[in-house]
Amino acid sequence: MKIAAFSGALMEYSIQEAMKITANLGFDGIEIACREPHLSPQTSLPRVKEIRRLADEHVLDIPALGGYMGRFSESGDSECAAAYDEFLGLLERADYLETDMIRIFPGGPNAFLAANYHYEKAAHWLKKCAAEARRHEKKILLEIHNVSLIETVESSMRLLEMIGEDNVGLIHDAGNMYISDTDFGRASVTGLGSRLLHVHVKDEKRISEAGGPGTFRNVTRHGEEHFLQCRLGEGEVDHRELFEALAETGYGGWVTLECFAPYPPVEQLAHDRDTVRQLLRETAPASALAIASTTAPTSTAPASPTASTTAPKSASPSSSSVSAPGGN
């Protein structure tokens, strides 16, 4: 697995600064939030080419573009058409950025409140997006997200079946699934199967009342609830079972850190990076032993030593940033 930083956590910086910070922190890639000042469907192509050049300079992959367009299920036809045009603009820019995956939001309301026509309308437009993405050899990502049609494994698979295109897959987000109060551990990974194309991680916890930095309100199946965004390991979203399942199933994709806790963004990214690396170290051996037991060679020749990992460079902390709910 490779680890990326989400540029949305660095919105107070230019995309050039965000990429430098991401590289200095030792990440493998950067998932770009498609909002200015980082990127948008209207960003000029010369500037897009410069972003690609900077990624090469910093030895960073761009595994996905975090688009904010879509929301087809609750929009009028003219709004859906405009969102589709925005997607086409981002698709063109993905070609220049050599990015294979683009996120689109299907829309709401919460899965437990949605009617059939919400799913039907979202599926209609997402199928159009998928057809165009296929021409560009791209994949569409739908993020399992609170207050959306796809809050659970079951509702996500329902929408995928209605779309009927194999270049549409899902982003597993344990933080979002915690808010929706649905399983985000081993069963969620096996339930998504091959349709799991990408992973986001972040931490939150339920609180009695929102209002302070990093807090927000959300409608869930329990009514209106209040949450605090936390650094990994400091909230109530235990990612251990998720990482164990990812290792056991041989997931080889990307894990993007979506850090929105009320700390200086560079500091919180460094904290979450270290936490994820620790989880990867602790969960990988079980997977390696399981594979070795079924594919052990008959030869007694010693295995070659593994390469050591160099420590990442540190970056200077910046001022505190708080993300509004739904801004991830």
PDB file of all heavy atoms in Angstrom, residues 4-36:
ATOM      1  N   ALA A   4      -0.918   8.565   0.547  1.00  0.00           N
ATOM      2  CA  ALA A   4      -1.017   9.905  -0.043  1.00  0.00           C
ATOM      3  C   ALA A   4      -1.576  10.870   0.990  1.00  0.00           C
ATOM      4  O   ALA A   4      -2.307  10.487   1.902  1.00  0.00           O
ATOM      5  CB  ALA A   4      -1.922   9.883  -1.276  1.00  0.00           C
ATOM      6  N   ALA A   5      -1.233  12.130   0.829  1.00  0.00           N
ATOM      7  CA  ALA A   5      -1.857  13.203   1.607  1.00  0.00           C
ATOM      8  C   ALA A   5      -2.975  13.809   0.762  1.00  0.00           C
ATOM      9  O   ALA A   5      -2.863  13.881  -0.469  1.00  0.00           O
ATOM     10  CB  ALA A   5      -0.833  14.274   1.954  1.00  0.00           C
ATOM     11  N   PHE A   6      -4.045  14.206   1.417  1.00  0.00           N
ATOM     12  CA  PHE A   6      -5.140  14.892   0.724  1.00  0.00           C
ATOM     13  C   PHE A   6      -4.854  16.387   0.745  1.00  0.00           C
ATOM     14  O   PHE A   6      -4.686  16.984   1.816  1.00  0.00           O
ATOM     15  CB  PHE A   6      -6.464  14.592   1.420  1.00  0.00           C
ATOM     16  CG  PHE A   6      -7.667  15.165   0.720  1.00  0.00           C
ATOM     17  CD1 PHE A   6      -7.902  14.905  -0.617  1.00  0.00           C
ATOM     18  CD2 PHE A   6      -8.574  15.958   1.413  1.00  0.00           C
ATOM     19  CE1 PHE A   6      -9.013  15.424  -1.271  1.00  0.00           C
ATOM     20  CE2 PHE A   6      -9.695  16.473   0.775  1.00  0.00           C
ATOM     21  CZ  PHE A   6      -9.911  16.206  -0.566  1.00  0.00           C
ATOM     22  N   SER A   7      -4.782  16.994  -0.427  1.00  0.00           N
ATOM     23  CA  SER A   7      -4.405  18.402  -0.473  1.00  0.00           C
ATOM     24  C   SER A   7      -5.454  19.291   0.190  1.00  0.00           C
ATOM     25  O   SER A   7      -5.159  20.432   0.563  1.00  0.00           O
ATOM     26  CB  SER A   7      -4.161  18.859  -1.917  1.00  0.00           C
ATOM     27  OG  SER A   7      -5.363  19.187  -2.587  1.00  0.00           O
ATOM     28  N   GLY A   8      -6.682  18.767   0.367  1.00  0.00           N
ATOM     29  CA  GLY A   8      -7.711  19.539   1.041  1.00  0.00           C
ATOM     30  C   GLY A   8      -7.343  19.896   2.472  1.00  0.00           C
ATOM     31  O   GLY A   8      -7.867  20.860   3.034  1.00  0.00           O
ATOM     32  N   ALA A   9      -6.438  19.116   3.073  1.00  0.00           N
ATOM     33  CA  ALA A   9      -5.965  19.425   4.423  1.00  0.00           C
ATOM     34  C   ALA A   9      -4.948  20.554   4.420  1.00  0.00           C
ATOM     35  O   ALA A   9      -4.552  21.040   5.483  1.00  0.00           O
ATOM     36  CB  ALA A   9      -5.353  18.178   5.058  1.00  0.00           C
ATOM     37  N   LEU A  10      -4.529  20.961   3.228  1.00  0.00           N
ATOM     38  CA  LEU A  10      -3.504  22.005   3.089  1.00  0.00           C
ATOM     39  C   LEU A  10      -4.019  23.175   2.256  1.00  0.00           C
ATOM     40  O   LEU A  10      -3.275  23.807   1.523  1.00  0.00           O
ATOM     41  CB  LEU A  10      -2.251  21.408   2.442  1.00  0.00           C
ATOM     42  CG  LEU A  10      -1.538  20.308   3.245  1.00  0.00           C
ATOM     43  CD1 LEU A  10      -0.539  19.568   2.354  1.00  0.00           C
ATOM     44  CD2 LEU A  10      -0.846  20.885   4.471  1.00  0.00           C
ATOM     45  N   MET A  11      -5.303  23.471   2.389  1.00  0.00           N
ATOM     46  CA  MET A  11      -5.921  24.493   1.554  1.00  0.00           C
ATOM     47  C   MET A  11      -5.428  25.909   1.830  1.00  0.00           C
ATOM     48  O   MET A  11      -5.613  26.802   1.011  1.00  0.00           O
ATOM     49  CB  MET A  11      -7.447  24.444   1.696  1.00  0.00           C
ATOM     50  CG  MET A  11      -8.107  23.462   0.747  1.00  0.00           C
ATOM     51  SD  MET A  11      -7.801  23.916  -0.971  1.00  0.00           S
ATOM     52  CE  MET A  11      -8.693  22.630  -1.824  1.00  0.00           C
ATOM     53  N   GLU A  12      -4.818  26.117   2.979  1.00  0.00           N
ATOM     54  CA  GLU A  12      -4.288  27.454   3.245  1.00  0.00           C
ATOM     55  C   GLU A  12      -2.973  27.692   2.504  1.00  0.00           C
ATOM     56  O   GLU A  12      -2.422  28.791   2.533  1.00  0.00           O
ATOM     57  CB  GLU A  12      -4.088  27.670   4.742  1.00  0.00           C
ATOM     58  CG  GLU A  12      -3.068  26.772   5.390  1.00  0.00           C
ATOM     59  CD  GLU A  12      -3.053  26.942   6.899  1.00  0.00           C
ATOM     60  OE1 GLU A  12      -4.047  26.605   7.558  1.00  0.00           O
ATOM     61  OE2 GLU A  12      -2.035  27.437   7.410  1.00  0.00           O
ATOM     62  N   TYR A  13      -2.480  26.657   1.837  1.00  0.00           N
ATOM     63  CA  TYR A  13      -1.269  26.764   1.035  1.00  0.00           C
ATOM     64  C   TYR A  13      -1.627  26.701  -0.449  1.00  0.00           C
ATOM     65  O   TYR A  13      -2.658  26.142  -0.831  1.00  0.00           O
ATOM     66  CB  TYR A  13      -0.311  25.614   1.348  1.00  0.00           C
ATOM     67  CG  TYR A  13       0.166  25.560   2.779  1.00  0.00           C
ATOM     68  CD1 TYR A  13      -0.479  24.746   3.708  1.00  0.00           C
ATOM     69  CD2 TYR A  13       1.260  26.304   3.191  1.00  0.00           C
ATOM     70  CE1 TYR A  13      -0.043  24.684   5.027  1.00  0.00           C
ATOM     71  CE2 TYR A  13       1.706  26.248   4.500  1.00  0.00           C
ATOM     72  CZ  TYR A  13       1.050  25.442   5.418  1.00  0.00           C
ATOM     73  OH  TYR A  13       1.479  25.388   6.710  1.00  0.00           O
ATOM     74  N   SER A  14      -0.764  27.227  -1.290  1.00  0.00           N
ATOM     75  CA  SER A  14      -0.913  27.026  -2.733  1.00  0.00           C
ATOM     76  C   SER A  14      -0.663  25.564  -3.044  1.00  0.00           C
ATOM     77  O   SER A  14      -0.085  24.822  -2.228  1.00  0.00           O
ATOM     78  CB  SER A  14       0.086  27.901  -3.492  1.00  0.00           C
ATOM     79  OG  SER A  14       1.418  27.437  -3.274  1.00  0.00           O
ATOM     80  N   ILE A  15      -1.068  25.121  -4.224  1.00  0.00           N
ATOM     81  CA  ILE A  15      -0.819  23.733  -4.597  1.00  0.00           C
ATOM     82  C   ILE A  15       0.675  23.460  -4.687  1.00  0.00           C
ATOM     83  O   ILE A  15       1.144  22.364  -4.349  1.00  0.00           O
ATOM     84  CB  ILE A  15      -1.533  23.356  -5.928  1.00  0.00           C
ATOM     85  CG1 ILE A  15      -1.398  21.859  -6.215  1.00  0.00           C
ATOM     86  CG2 ILE A  15      -1.008  24.198  -7.080  1.00  0.00           C
ATOM     87  CD1 ILE A  15      -1.991  20.958  -5.175  1.00  0.00           C
ATOM     88  N   GLN A  16       1.452  24.477  -5.091  1.00  0.00           N
ATOM     89  CA  GLN A  16       2.907  24.308  -5.147  1.00  0.00           C
ATOM     90  C   GLN A  16       3.467  24.058  -3.748  1.00  0.00           C
ATOM     91  O   GLN A  16       4.286  23.150  -3.539  1.00  0.00           O
ATOM     92  CB  GLN A  16       3.563  25.553  -5.763  1.00  0.00           C
ATOM     93  CG  GLN A  16       3.256  25.749  -7.236  1.00  0.00           C
ATOM     94  CD  GLN A  16       1.964  26.498  -7.489  1.00  0.00           C
ATOM     95  OE1 GLN A  16       1.180  26.756  -6.571  1.00  0.00           O
ATOM     96  NE2 GLN A  16       1.733  26.869  -8.748  1.00  0.00           N
ATOM     97  N   GLU A  17       3.008  24.854  -2.760  1.00  0.00           N
ATOM     98  CA  GLU A  17       3.473  24.675  -1.389  1.00  0.00           C
ATOM     99  C   GLU A  17       2.975  23.346  -0.812  1.00  0.00           C
ATOM    100  O   GLU A  17       3.701  22.658  -0.094  1.00  0.00           O
ATOM    101  CB  GLU A  17       2.996  25.839  -0.526  1.00  0.00           C
ATOM    102  CG  GLU A  17       3.618  27.182  -0.881  1.00  0.00           C
ATOM    103  CD  GLU A  17       2.928  28.335  -0.162  1.00  0.00           C
ATOM    104  OE1 GLU A  17       1.691  28.349  -0.083  1.00  0.00           O
ATOM    105  OE2 GLU A  17       3.652  29.234   0.316  1.00  0.00           O
ATOM    106  N   ALA A  18       1.730  22.998  -1.127  1.00  0.00           N
ATOM    107  CA  ALA A  18       1.154  21.750  -0.619  1.00  0.00           C
ATOM    108  C   ALA A  18       1.942  20.544  -1.116  1.00  0.00           C
ATOM    109  O   ALA A  18       2.168  19.576  -0.367  1.00  0.00           O
ATOM    110  CB  ALA A  18      -0.309  21.647  -1.034  1.00  0.00           C
ATOM    111  N   MET A  19       2.359  20.591  -2.370  1.00  0.00           N
ATOM    112  CA  MET A  19       3.132  19.472  -2.910  1.00  0.00           C
ATOM    113  C   MET A  19       4.508  19.382  -2.268  1.00  0.00           C
ATOM    114  O   MET A  19       5.003  18.280  -1.972  1.00  0.00           O
ATOM    115  CB  MET A  19       3.233  19.607  -4.429  1.00  0.00           C
ATOM    116  CG  MET A  19       1.888  19.493  -5.130  1.00  0.00           C
ATOM    117  SD  MET A  19       1.973  19.698  -6.909  1.00  0.00           S
ATOM    118  CE  MET A  19       2.363  18.045  -7.422  1.00  0.00           C
ATOM    119  N   LYS A  20       5.110  20.522  -2.021  1.00  0.00           N
ATOM    120  CA  LYS A  20       6.431  20.521  -1.363  1.00  0.00           C
ATOM    121  C   LYS A  20       6.323  19.967   0.048  1.00  0.00           C
ATOM    122  O   LYS A  20       7.150  19.146   0.473  1.00  0.00           O
ATOM    123  CB  LYS A  20       6.991  21.945  -1.337  1.00  0.00           C
ATOM    124  CG  LYS A  20       8.377  22.033  -0.717  1.00  0.00           C
ATOM    125  CD  LYS A  20       8.927  23.447  -0.775  1.00  0.00           C
ATOM    126  CE  LYS A  20      10.326  23.522  -0.166  1.00  0.00           C
ATOM    127  NZ  LYS A  20      10.868  24.913  -0.220  1.00  0.00           N
ATOM    128  N   ILE A  21       5.285  20.390   0.790  1.00  0.00           N
ATOM    129  CA  ILE A  21       5.077  19.884   2.148  1.00  0.00           C
ATOM    130  C   ILE A  21       4.852  18.370   2.124  1.00  0.00           C
ATOM    131  O   ILE A  21       5.421  17.621   2.919  1.00  0.00           O
ATOM    132  CB  ILE A  21       3.878  20.599   2.806  1.00  0.00           C
ATOM    133  CG1 ILE A  21       4.229  22.044   3.118  1.00  0.00           C
ATOM    134  CG2 ILE A  21       3.432  19.869   4.074  1.00  0.00           C
ATOM    135  CD1 ILE A  21       3.027  22.896   3.494  1.00  0.00           C
ATOM    136  N   THR A  22       4.017  17.920   1.185  1.00  0.00           N
ATOM    137  CA  THR A  22       3.713  16.494   1.073  1.00  0.00           C
ATOM    138  C   THR A  22       4.973  15.674   0.809  1.00  0.00           C
ATOM    139  O   THR A  22       5.183  14.617   1.417  1.00  0.00           O
ATOM    140  CB  THR A  22       2.685  16.272  -0.048  1.00  0.00           C
ATOM    141  OG1 THR A  22       1.479  16.980   0.268  1.00  0.00           O
ATOM    142  CG2 THR A  22       2.366  14.803  -0.228  1.00  0.00           C
ATOM    143  N   ALA A  23       5.825  16.174  -0.079  1.00  0.00           N
ATOM    144  CA  ALA A  23       7.078  15.475  -0.379  1.00  0.00           C
ATOM    145  C   ALA A  23       8.007  15.487   0.830  1.00  0.00           C
ATOM    146  O   ALA A  23       8.631  14.469   1.164  1.00  0.00           O
ATOM    147  CB  ALA A  23       7.755  16.123  -1.584  1.00  0.00           C
ATOM    148  N   ASN A  24       8.099  16.631   1.511  1.00  0.00           N
ATOM    149  CA  ASN A  24       8.989  16.733   2.673  1.00  0.00           C
ATOM    150  C   ASN A  24       8.547  15.810   3.812  1.00  0.00           C
ATOM    151  O   ASN A  24       9.386  15.347   4.598  1.00  0.00           O
ATOM    152  CB  ASN A  24       9.042  18.175   3.176  1.00  0.00           C
ATOM    153  CG  ASN A  24       9.866  19.075   2.277  1.00  0.00           C
ATOM    154  OD1 ASN A  24      10.633  18.605   1.444  1.00  0.00           O
ATOM    155  ND2 ASN A  24       9.710  20.375   2.444  1.00  0.00           N
ATOM    156  N   LEU A  25       7.248  15.547   3.892  1.00  0.00           N
ATOM    157  CA  LEU A  25       6.738  14.646   4.921  1.00  0.00           C
ATOM    158  C   LEU A  25       6.906  13.170   4.547  1.00  0.00           C
ATOM    159  O   LEU A  25       6.559  12.290   5.330  1.00  0.00           O
ATOM    160  CB  LEU A  25       5.260  14.945   5.193  1.00  0.00           C
ATOM    161  CG  LEU A  25       4.971  16.227   5.981  1.00  0.00           C
ATOM    162  CD1 LEU A  25       3.472  16.513   6.002  1.00  0.00           C
ATOM    163  CD2 LEU A  25       5.511  16.127   7.395  1.00  0.00           C
ATOM    164  N   GLY A  26       7.410  12.914   3.359  1.00  0.00           N
ATOM    165  CA  GLY A  26       7.717  11.541   2.971  1.00  0.00           C
ATOM    166  C   GLY A  26       6.563  10.746   2.408  1.00  0.00           C
ATOM    167  O   GLY A  26       6.611   9.517   2.387  1.00  0.00           O
ATOM    168  N   PHE A  27       5.508  11.427   1.930  1.00  0.00           N
ATOM    169  CA  PHE A  27       4.385  10.718   1.334  1.00  0.00           C
ATOM    170  C   PHE A  27       4.748  10.224  -0.063  1.00  0.00           C
ATOM    171  O   PHE A  27       5.614  10.782  -0.736  1.00  0.00           O
ATOM    172  CB  PHE A  27       3.163  11.631   1.253  1.00  0.00           C
ATOM    173  CG  PHE A  27       2.461  11.850   2.566  1.00  0.00           C
ATOM    174  CD1 PHE A  27       2.763  12.939   3.361  1.00  0.00           C
ATOM    175  CD2 PHE A  27       1.501  10.943   3.010  1.00  0.00           C
ATOM    176  CE1 PHE A  27       2.126  13.140   4.569  1.00  0.00           C
ATOM    177  CE2 PHE A  27       0.865  11.133   4.224  1.00  0.00           C
ATOM    178  CZ  PHE A  27       1.170  12.237   5.009  1.00  0.00           C
ATOM    179  N   ASP A  28       4.039   9.180  -0.493  1.00  0.00           N
ATOM    180  CA  ASP A  28       4.250   8.644  -1.841  1.00  0.00           C
ATOM    181  C   ASP A  28       3.501   9.449  -2.900  1.00  0.00           C
ATOM    182  O   ASP A  28       3.875   9.425  -4.076  1.00  0.00           O
ATOM    183  CB  ASP A  28       3.766   7.192  -1.914  1.00  0.00           C
ATOM    184  CG  ASP A  28       4.468   6.304  -0.899  1.00  0.00           C
ATOM    185  OD1 ASP A  28       5.707   6.217  -0.955  1.00  0.00           O
ATOM    186  OD2 ASP A  28       3.783   5.702  -0.051  1.00  0.00           O
ATOM    187  N   GLY A  29       2.416  10.103  -2.494  1.00  0.00           N
ATOM    188  CA  GLY A  29       1.613  10.831  -3.472  1.00  0.00           C
ATOM    189  C   GLY A  29       0.751  11.880  -2.815  1.00  0.00           C
ATOM    190  O   GLY A  29       0.711  12.015  -1.589  1.00  0.00           O
ATOM    191  N   ILE A  30       0.040  12.615  -3.653  1.00  0.00           N
ATOM    192  CA  ILE A  30      -0.888  13.636  -3.186  1.00  0.00           C
ATOM    193  C   ILE A  30      -2.195  13.498  -3.955  1.00  0.00           C
ATOM    194  O   ILE A  30      -2.205  13.453  -5.187  1.00  0.00           O
ATOM    195  CB  ILE A  30      -0.302  15.055  -3.348  1.00  0.00           C
ATOM    196  CG1 ILE A  30      -1.262  16.109  -2.776  1.00  0.00           C
ATOM    197  CG2 ILE A  30       0.069  15.351  -4.803  1.00  0.00           C
ATOM    198  CD1 ILE A  30      -0.628  17.484  -2.621  1.00  0.00           C
ATOM    199  N   GLU A  31      -3.282  13.343  -3.233  1.00  0.00           N
ATOM    200  CA  GLU A  31      -4.609  13.342  -3.838  1.00  0.00           C
ATOM    201  C   GLU A  31      -5.089  14.788  -3.842  1.00  0.00           C
ATOM    202  O   GLU A  31      -5.199  15.413  -2.781  1.00  0.00           O
ATOM    203  CB  GLU A  31      -5.564  12.464  -3.038  1.00  0.00           C
ATOM    204  CG  GLU A  31      -6.969  12.412  -3.619  1.00  0.00           C
ATOM    205  CD  GLU A  31      -7.873  11.446  -2.863  1.00  0.00           C
ATOM    206  OE1 GLU A  31      -7.348  10.495  -2.246  1.00  0.00           O
ATOM    207  OE2 GLU A  31      -9.099  11.665  -2.896  1.00  0.00           O
ATOM    208  N   ILE A  32      -5.351  15.328  -5.008  1.00  0.00           N
ATOM    209  CA  ILE A  32      -5.625  16.756  -5.115  1.00  0.00           C
ATOM    210  C   ILE A  32      -7.108  17.040  -4.948  1.00  0.00           C
ATOM    211  O   ILE A  32      -7.955  16.483  -5.649  1.00  0.00           O
ATOM    212  CB  ILE A  32      -5.128  17.310  -6.460  1.00  0.00           C
ATOM    213  CG1 ILE A  32      -3.619  17.093  -6.594  1.00  0.00           C
ATOM    214  CG2 ILE A  32      -5.452  18.798  -6.569  1.00  0.00           C
ATOM    215  CD1 ILE A  32      -3.028  17.592  -7.896  1.00  0.00           C
ATOM    216  N   ALA A  33      -7.416  17.914  -3.989  1.00  0.00           N
ATOM    217  CA  ALA A  33      -8.785  18.395  -3.803  1.00  0.00           C
ATOM    218  C   ALA A  33      -9.104  19.380  -4.913  1.00  0.00           C
ATOM    219  O   ALA A  33      -8.366  20.354  -5.116  1.00  0.00           O
ATOM    220  CB  ALA A  33      -8.920  19.067  -2.441  1.00  0.00           C
ATOM    221  N   CYS A  34     -10.177  19.127  -5.626  1.00  0.00           N
ATOM    222  CA  CYS A  34     -10.478  19.931  -6.820  1.00  0.00           C
ATOM    223  C   CYS A  34     -11.288  21.175  -6.471  1.00  0.00           C
ATOM    224  O   CYS A  34     -12.439  21.351  -6.891  1.00  0.00           O
ATOM    225  CB  CYS A  34     -11.174  19.076  -7.864  1.00  0.00           C
ATOM    226  SG  CYS A  34     -10.117  17.742  -8.437  1.00  0.00           S
ATOM    227  N   ARG A  35     -10.659  22.004  -5.657  1.00  0.00           N
ATOM    228  CA  ARG A  35     -11.153  23.322  -5.310  1.00  0.00           C
ATOM    229  C   ARG A  35      -9.977  24.282  -5.374  1.00  0.00           C
ATOM    230  O   ARG A  35      -8.848  23.908  -5.028  1.00  0.00           O
ATOM    231  CB  ARG A  35     -11.746  23.340  -3.894  1.00  0.00           C
ATOM    232  CG  ARG A  35     -13.110  22.675  -3.783  1.00  0.00           C
ATOM    233  CD  ARG A  35     -13.580  22.651  -2.336  1.00  0.00           C
ATOM    234  NE  ARG A  35     -14.963  22.196  -2.234  1.00  0.00           N
ATOM    235  CZ  ARG A  35     -15.544  21.833  -1.099  1.00  0.00           C
ATOM    236  NH1 ARG A  35     -14.850  21.873   0.029  1.00  0.00           N
ATOM    237  NH2 ARG A  35     -16.805  21.437  -1.073  1.00  0.00           N
ATOM    238  N   GLU A  36     -10.233  25.497  -5.831  1.00  0.00           N
ATOM    239  CA  GLU A  36      -9.159  26.470  -5.823  1.00  0.00           C
ATOM    240  C   GLU A  36      -8.826  26.835  -4.374  1.00  0.00           C
ATOM    241  O   GLU A  36      -9.714  26.809  -3.523  1.00  0.00           O
ATOM    242  CB  GLU A  36      -9.587  27.718  -6.622  1.00  0.00           C
ATOM    243  CG  GLU A  36      -9.784  27.457  -8.114  1.00  0.00           C
ATOM    244  CD  GLU A  36      -8.494  27.035  -8.820  1.00  0.00           C
ATOM    245  OE1 GLU A  36      -7.404  27.080  -8.205  1.00  0.00           O
ATOM    246  OE2 GLU A  36      -8.575  26.649  -9.993  1.00  0.00           O
TER     247      GLU A  36
END
